[in-house]
Amino acid sequence: MAETRESLRQLIRTKLRGAKFVAVSNREPYLHVYRNGKVEWVRPASGMTAALDPVMQASRGLWVAHGSGEADAEASDSDGFVAVPPDHPTYHLKRVWLSKQQEEGYYYGFANAAMWPLCHIAYRPPVFRLEQWSAYQEVNRLFAESVAKEIGEKPALVFVQDYHFALLPSMLRALCPQAILAHFWHIPWPNPEIFRICPWKHQILEGLLGNDILGFHTRYHCDNFIATVDRELEARPDRERSAIVYGGHMTKVRSFPISIDFEDVSRHAASQESLKLMAVLRRKFRIRKDTIVGVGADRLDYTKGLPERIEALGHLFERYPEYRGRVVFIQAGVPSRTQVKEYRRLNEQIDSGVAALNWKYGRHDWQPFIFLREHVPFPTLLALYRMAHFAVVSSLHDGMNLVAKEFAAAQIDANGVLVLSPFTGAARELTDALIVNPYSTHELAERIRDAIEMDPVEIRRRMGRLRAQVRENNIYKWASDIIKKLSKLT
Ligand code: ADQ
């Protein structure tokens, strides 16, 4: 039996025995914005918040995050609290306010110009600046104090998210020694050779070793972390128990492959609304009954392999002219971190790649690549996934990649093929995808062709198995596995 929201809720109730459950992340699950002078709410395009929100709904705990929406302050009380989800509240969000300067140094600076490229092997050099590191320390302390204020001396279980808060665990441990701390690192952990260039590597490792449990998506990332600590600190790695003892404290290092709410995605994809949205999309993009549709959905990030995807489609139309006029690739791309130089450069690269592809092969009645540079509402995204004959996930490096799992869950008719990079965590589980190295754009083009030409029986067989995999290993299993591990420590 697959885990459900209800089984997770029961588990939390029995295992946590009344301890307060607090999640901490940079990104908030709901932002308030102004639209036509009115306050409205939106969900950000983020794999982490998409995954954690159902867990928080089941736990009814508290989520502490940066209040980054322009109307956030107006929608919250004087302490930054707001009940969410805004349309059917089940838990509380506490917003922490940051100055522009803090946001620039900590978020755009150290987190996204140093830690992100350091952990992803996508050949972009990390930028280490002292003032950004200072902002990172300052914001980690601010969040640690904000969480400590909520839990005081009460029993609590704090679940920290991601690379924005590497220092927070040891800070919080000093403030609230009774709290049990778990941390999930949503991105890869590199090997020791890569990590050793970070000027503040010891502080980062010491910060993370304040946790009781540190989770990664794959065993490989756990092994990289243990090897890094072994090389950099006077710590005692216990490979047998997959743990590290440092300063008398033990941190267990475990893999928990993250996932999605399979049933929820399937149900939405099967709805009447989804059928209507598919018809709207077909009309809007002039998609005929016999058009073969490919789909991609990504934050516009250099780790996602978008230029490679565009180049591969160019090879496809060059080598196989019979697909001209017959295949359309619809790419949803939400702008991300555009304050960081590398991201601006990537956007220019994508724009010129798309323009060149459409100019070279497009005709008055057909464009090969439709680029939706926008945050696509989730129901529309699901309609896109459902109507697609194939999806391409071509990440150069990716902790997991939830788009691959969303695509499988939305494929209720099981008539689509997933083309997937081996450099995603998802590739370890989704072995019925067509796995291909995105750096080899010629091979990527060939696998896209294989997806288009695949026998329908084979498509159903593969998609059926992918769906079974994601159904079984859903987001509630991810959360339950973590809670079970944590409850052994309470
Ligand atoms: P991300 O890098 O954000 O997550 P991913 O896991 O693919 O990547 O999740 C992206 C999310 O954004 C998905 O839920 C997707 O539906 C949504 N999305 C993408 N493009 C969109 C668009 N144009 N409009 C609206 N929504 C869009 C990080 C790590 C991943 C890891 C997750 C969770 O980098 O490796 O899988 O955290 O741990």
Side-chain angles (χ1 to χ4, degrees):
M1 271 281 281
E3 298 280 359
T4 61
R5 183 174 297 196
E6 194 41 46
S7 66
L8 175 66
R9 190 173 293 154
Q10 297 286 356
L11 184 84
I12 288 173
R13 221 171 277 149
T14 50
K15 296 283 184 188
L16 300 192
R17 296 181 206 104
K20 202 172 168 83
F21 188 71
V22 185
V24 191
S25 71
N26 171 71
R27 174 78 61 230
E28 54 184 339
Y30 300 91
L31 288 96
H32 284 90
V33 292
Y34 291 111
R35 281 222 186 109
N36 305 322
K38 281 204 325 223
V39 175
E40 289 187 3
W41 58 274
V42 290
R43 299 172 67 145
S46 148
M48 182 278 297
T49 55
L52 200 61
D53 183 53
V55 177
M56 290 309 289
Q57 291 194 34
S59 77
R60 297 171 186 265
L62 174 72
W63 188 330
V64 181
H66 171 211
S68 58
E70 52 183 4
D72 274 2
E74 193 178 327
S76 322
D77 73 11
S78 55
D79 292 319
F81 282 88
V82 58
V84 289
D87 54 350
H88 58 283
T90 46
Y91 66 95
H92 275 90
L93 171 64
K94 180 188 184 188
R95 287 165 166 157
V96 175
W97 311 115
L98 299 182
S99 67
K100 281 269 173 235
Q101 212 177 1
Q102 285 173 325
E103 191 179 349
E104 198 175 317
Y106 137 83
Y107 180 73
Y108 293 109
F110 195 74
N112 284 312
M115 289 298 273
W116 179 269
L118 181 69
C119 291
H120 287 91
I121 303 175
Y123 304 98
R124 301 296 199 281
V127 178
F128 299 112
R129 293 204 199 293
L130 185 58
E131 69 281 8
Q132 295 179 343
W133 167 243
S134 302
Y136 187 84
Q137 291 173 292
E138 186 182 315
V139 173
N140 269 248
R141 178 153 302 284
L142 187 67
F143 270 79
E145 285 165 359
S146 183
V147 174
K149 191 171 161 210
E150 297 311 316
I151 57 181
E153 293 177 358
K154 291 191 286 284
L157 214 147
V158 183
F159 190 20
V160 186
Q161 308 301 311
D162 237 349
Y163 61 100
H164 310 89
F165 294 120
L167 307 177
L168 186 145
S170 59
M171 291 172 174
L172 193 57
R173 177 157 298 286
L175 294 170
C176 304
Q178 86 286 6
I180 299 214
L181 309 183
H183 195 142
F184 193 77
W185 197 261
H186 292 258
I187 64 175
W189 189 274
N191 66 41
E193 205 54 36
I194 299 277
F195 191 76
R196 70 196 279 243
I197 66 166
C198 177
W200 304 289
K201 55 192 174 185
H202 292 159
Q203 290 95 314
I204 288 169
L205 294 173
E206 283 168 352
L208 287 170
L209 292 176
N211 284 299
D212 295 294
I213 292 187
L214 176 59
F216 295 95
H217 293 297
T218 68
R219 188 65 243 162
Y220 180 63
H221 298 152
C222 296
D223 292 343
N224 276 348
F225 181 79
I226 294 173
T228 306
V229 171
D230 196 15
R231 174 152 173 174
E232 299 293 349
L233 296 180
E234 289 291 322
R236 195 155 46 81
D238 182 341
R239 285 198 167 77
E240 201 75 352
R241 290 156 72 188
S242 188
I244 293 165
V245 179
Y246 184 68
H249 174 74
M250 179 184 280
T251 304
K252 296 195 167 131
V253 183
R254 293 283 188 284
S255 66
F256 302 100
I258 206 165
S259 193
I260 57 162
D261 186 337
F262 178 90
E263 297 300 342
D264 195 51
V265 170
S266 292
R267 201 171 36 247
H268 277 96
S271 67
Q272 282 300 321
E273 186 199 5
S274 200
L275 279 175
K276 280 191 203 139
L277 286 168
M278 282 162 72
V280 170
L281 290 166
R282 286 212 169 89
R283 265 199 307 278
K284 186 169 171 191
F285 300 125
R286 292 190 289 168
I287 291 167
R288 299 186 314 260
K289 271 219 146 20
D290 58 346
T291 304
I292 297 160
V293 178
V295 70
D298 306 78
R299 276 186 312 99
L300 296 176
D301 195 295
Y302 53 81
T303 58
K304 304 290 180 184
L306 279 148
E308 289 74 7
R309 202 176 301 173
I310 296 163
E311 196 172 307
L313 287 164
H315 295 321
L316 182 82
F317 292 116
E318 187 60 41
R319 231 183 271 171
Y320 305 105
E322 64 272 24
Y323 293 142
R324 296 182 197 171
R326 280 183 57 213
V327 174
V328 167
F329 195 85
I330 304 177
Q331 173 68 52
V334 59
S336 179
R337 307 173 193 166
T338 42
Q339 273 85 331
V340 182
K341 197 164 84 202
E342 275 299 334
Y343 287 76
R344 290 197 296 274
R345 199 178 296 164
L346 170 81
N347 276 280
E348 289 164 14
Q349 198 185 353
I350 293 172
D351 284 345
S352 61
V354 172
L357 182 74
N358 282 340
W359 181 81
K360 189 165 179 190
Y361 300 105
R363 302 188 309 220
H364 72 282
D365 62 341
W366 171 77
Q367 293 276 290
F369 199 96
I370 297 170
F371 185 27
L372 311 175
R373 181 197 289 283
E374 61 197 65
H375 181 278
V376 176
F378 203 52
T380 309
L381 203 55
L382 296 185
L384 265 176
Y385 290 148
R386 182 177 166 187
M387 69 192 255
H389 297 89
F390 66 96
V392 181
V393 172
S394 52
S395 311
L396 306 181
H397 206 186
D398 216 332
M400 174 54 71
N401 193 286
L402 293 179
V403 171
K405 294 187 174 184
E406 289 168 357
F407 177 66
Q411 274 281 319
I412 54 159
D413 310 306
N415 55 7
V417 180
L418 175 63
V419 178
L420 180 63
S421 161
F423 312 125
T424 60
R428 313 253 159 166
E429 297 173 86
L430 305 183
T431 49
D432 280 285
L434 294 182
I435 308 283
V436 58
N437 176 357
Y439 284 96
S440 171
T441 54
H442 284 280
E443 275 184 75
L444 181 53
E446 289 301 325
R447 290 298 82 72
I448 292 175
R449 180 167 188 258
D450 292 345
I452 295 171
E453 297 299 334
M454 193 180 281
D455 174 66
V457 175
E458 174 73 357
I459 293 179
R460 292 185 82 80
R461 199 177 57 80
R462 283 178 181 258
M463 188 43 82
R465 286 206 298 241
L466 286 176
R467 288 173 59 75
Q469 214 287 339
V470 184
R471 180 183 287 119
E472 183 66 30
N473 298 291
N474 63 20
I475 184 64
Y476 300 111
K477 174 157 193 321
W478 174 78
S480 300
D481 286 351
I482 296 176
I483 303 281
K484 282 176 198 156
K485 279 271 169 323
L486 278 171
S487 69
K488 289 195 184 138
L489 304 172
T490 54

